[in-house]
Amino acid sequence: MEPIRKLSEDEIRAIYRQGEDAVVALIQNMNQTIILLAERVKILEDRLSKNSKNSGKPPSTDGYSKPAPKSLRKRHQKKSGGQSIIQEIRSKR
């Protein structure tokens, strides 16, 4: 793909003065460039969205955006520790 450059207003007016065919050719060229750039953006976005879970990439290429591991332990209903029960037994003696 050839380098893209901004056309000046004078260059656009010069193309316009060349006639309808020159304007149509310019628009077709610009349209083709837009299509190529859109395809390139799609490819790059697809590449960015891949990680080790949805592609064949190794986990080491995922970077630092991994979520923190979650504990598989369930919370229990009892309060932790037994200090209050021991104090009750001793006070009954």
Side-chain angles (χ1 to χ4, degrees):
M1 186 165 69
E2 61 188 60
I4 300 171
R5 65 179 188 83
K6 182 178 177 182
L7 293 175
S8 68
E9 185 176 338
D10 291 337
E11 290 173 315
I12 295 169
R13 290 186 185 280
I15 292 169
Y16 178 78
R17 284 191 291 275
Q18 290 175 6
E20 184 178 339
D21 291 337
V23 173
V24 170
L26 174 65
I27 292 173
Q28 285 177 335
N29 186 11
M30 292 176 127
N31 193 35
Q32 185 63 29
T33 302
I34 291 169
I35 291 169
L36 289 172
L37 290 173
E39 289 173 358
R40 186 171 180 192
V41 166
K42 172 90 171 93
I43 291 168
L44 292 173
E45 285 176 343
D46 288 346
R47 190 183 302 167
L48 276 176
S49 68
K50 288 186 180 179
N51 61 30
S52 64
K53 293 184 188 220
N54 60 14
S55 70
K57 293 172 61 175
S60 61
T61 62
D62 283 350
Y64 295 110
S65 61
K66 293 181 191 177
K70 294 182 180 177
S71 174
L72 298 177
R73 293 183 176 187
K74 305 273 187 215
R75 290 194 57 104
H76 57 279
Q77 299 299 323
K78 296 181 181 180
K79 290 183 179 179
S80 62
Q83 189 68 28
S84 61
I85 295 173
I86 293 173
Q87 287 178 351
E88 287 178 27
I89 293 172
R90 288 186 181 157
S91 66
K92 288 181 182 180
R93 290 186 181 175

